[in-house]
Amino acid sequence: MKQEKETKKLTLEEYQQKYNNPENIKAAKSFIFILTTLIAVIFITTLFFVVLRVYEINEIAGYVSIAVAVLVFIFAFLVPIIKLKNMKSFKTFVNKTNAREAQKYNKALREDIADKMIDLTYNTEGVGWYSDKNISKLAVARHGRKDKELQNALSTIYKTDVKKAAERLIRRSAVQVGLTTALSQSSMLDTLLMVTYELNLIKDIVYLYGYRPNEAQMARIYKNVIQNALITYGVSSATSGVGKSISSGIVSAIDKAAASANFVTSALGTLAGTLAGTAIESGIQFAINSTLTVIIGYQTKRYLVREYNLQEILDDVEVFTDDEKEEIELINSIKKEVRETLSKRPKAQPDAT
């Protein structure tokens, strides 16, 4: 005798106990505002000192750098922040009053994401994020208004195409951050570069997925952007001292060994010491800053994957149990009977006296 196994759906109460985190959304929104303000302060401060340094070198170049700094602030800070703010996120923190609404909202968001992926693939050249095969399946499901097929197609895209594209974005940004901060040899410029690359990496990953993490998760991401900026500044300052110490140590050792040698030998020793100190300093900055970028990239990716998985689970949740459905149906029937009774009551006749 074959036993048929039925997959038991989670009830709303079970979903809440297992997946709902007690996070204050309003507090998270306020925290995001504070954190973005702090990032703006870091951005403006580093830009000011970079412009000041350029002005000290050349007055005309300093005035030109002011205009460049304004453009950098707009495109490297304001644009990513505004785009991230305007992106939608899935609703996965629910209760009895908004569970149905959240399911409908998430369904509409999935359809919107599918439309954007299809449009981007067919109407934009050179993107290459999503494979034609997977997008074709998504387009068929979307055209046929088959929600389950659309969910399956999206899940496949996220587990294959999007995963690979996100990893490419993270690797590329990590290498760029490592190289530019290693070559800049300026604490302020290193900090500015770190914030710029990380904000744009977060924006690119979110755009790739088509939705953003929730407010609490975005607050944690922005907190780490600030933390990484401070670490970058500290590393740049510290390694500068280490590099000079190593350089002077090597130069001193070579000078002692070549005390009786000619001037050319001494000059070569000084050059070798300087290059060695700079190479060690740059190597440390490359390793640390690229690692920090990889960490924040994967943190963003992990949050996005978690939210998509949660909304898929929520989509199959039974919002009401059978008992609760009967209770609601009874309440609605009572309300209906009351309305019908009131409508049948004869209207009071006015007094003829």
Side-chain angles (χ1 to χ4, degrees), residues 195-261:
V195 176
T196 299
Y197 275 111
E198 287 196 346
L199 285 179
N200 280 277
L201 173 61
I202 295 162
K203 182 256 298 177
D204 288 343
I205 293 174
V206 166
Y207 188 77
L208 170 67
Y209 275 81
Y211 60 96
R212 66 171 175 82
N214 64 38
E215 281 78 6
Q217 292 166 342
M218 286 303 302
R220 294 191 199 105
I221 290 170
Y222 286 149
K223 182 194 73 174
N224 285 341
V225 170
I226 294 171
Q227 179 179 293
N228 290 353
L230 296 176
I231 291 173
T232 297
Y233 179 81
V235 167
S236 182
S237 301
T239 52
S240 177
V242 170
K244 288 177 182 177
S245 298
I246 293 172
S247 176
S248 60
I250 292 173
V251 170
S252 177
I254 292 175
D255 283 346
K256 287 179 182 179
S260 58

Side-chain angles (χ1 to χ4, degrees), residues 149-150 159 180 194 201 209 231 287 309 314 324:
E149 289 185 14
L150 186 142
K159 290 174 183 176
T180 53
M194 174 60 81
L201 173 61
Y209 275 81
I231 291 173
N309 291 339
L314 178 61
E324 289 170 330

Side-chain angles (χ1 to χ4, degrees), residues 82-115:
I82 292 171
K83 284 188 174 181
L84 286 168
K85 183 178 182 298
N86 291 337
M87 288 292 286
K88 294 179 180 178
S89 60
F90 285 109
K91 291 182 179 179
T92 56
F93 186 84
V94 296
N95 52 43
K96 286 185 179 181
T97 60
N98 65 1
R100 287 287 189 203
E101 180 188 346
Q103 287 177 332
K104 291 178 181 178
Y105 172 87
N106 292 340
K107 179 179 180 293
L109 181 53
R110 287 195 302 266
E111 292 172 350
D112 184 51
I113 291 169
D115 290 340

Side-chain angles (χ1 to χ4, degrees), residues 41-148:
V41 170
I42 292 173
F43 220 95
I44 292 169
T45 302
T46 52
L47 278 173
F48 172 77
F49 281 105
V50 170
V51 169
L52 184 63
R53 177 59 180 157
V54 173
Y55 184 83
E56 290 172 351
I57 295 171
N58 185 281
E59 187 175 340
I60 296 174
Y63 286 121
V64 173
S65 66
I66 293 173
V68 174
V70 172
L71 293 176
V72 169
F73 181 76
I74 292 170
F75 291 103
F77 173 75
L78 286 180
V79 170
I81 290 293
I82 292 171
K83 284 188 174 181
L84 286 168
K85 183 178 182 298
N86 291 337
M87 288 292 286
K88 294 179 180 178
S89 60
F90 285 109
K91 291 182 179 179
T92 56
F93 186 84
V94 296
N95 52 43
K96 286 185 179 181
T97 60
N98 65 1
R100 287 287 189 203
E101 180 188 346
Q103 287 177 332
K104 291 178 181 178
Y105 172 87
N106 292 340
K107 179 179 180 293
L109 181 53
R110 287 195 302 266
E111 292 172 350
D112 184 51
I113 291 169
D115 290 340
K116 287 178 180 177
M117 285 183 175
I118 294 166
D119 180 68
L120 188 66
T121 302
Y122 291 150
N123 299 323
T124 307
E125 293 183 2
V127 177
W129 282 347
Y130 319 112
S131 69
D132 291 338
K133 180 181 177 182
N134 288 333
I135 291 297
S136 296
K137 291 180 180 178
L138 186 66
V140 169
R142 183 73 182 99
H143 182 72
R145 299 185 179 277
K146 298 175 181 178
D147 190 50
K148 280 299 175 186

Side-chain angles (χ1 to χ4, degrees), residues 25 64 89 92 126 140 168 175 230 264 279 285 287 325 327 352-353:
I25 302 301
V64 173
S89 60
T92 56
V140 169
R168 286 198 301 269
V175 171
L230 296 176
V264 174
Q285 290 173 357
K325 286 179 182 177
E327 180 183 342
T353 57

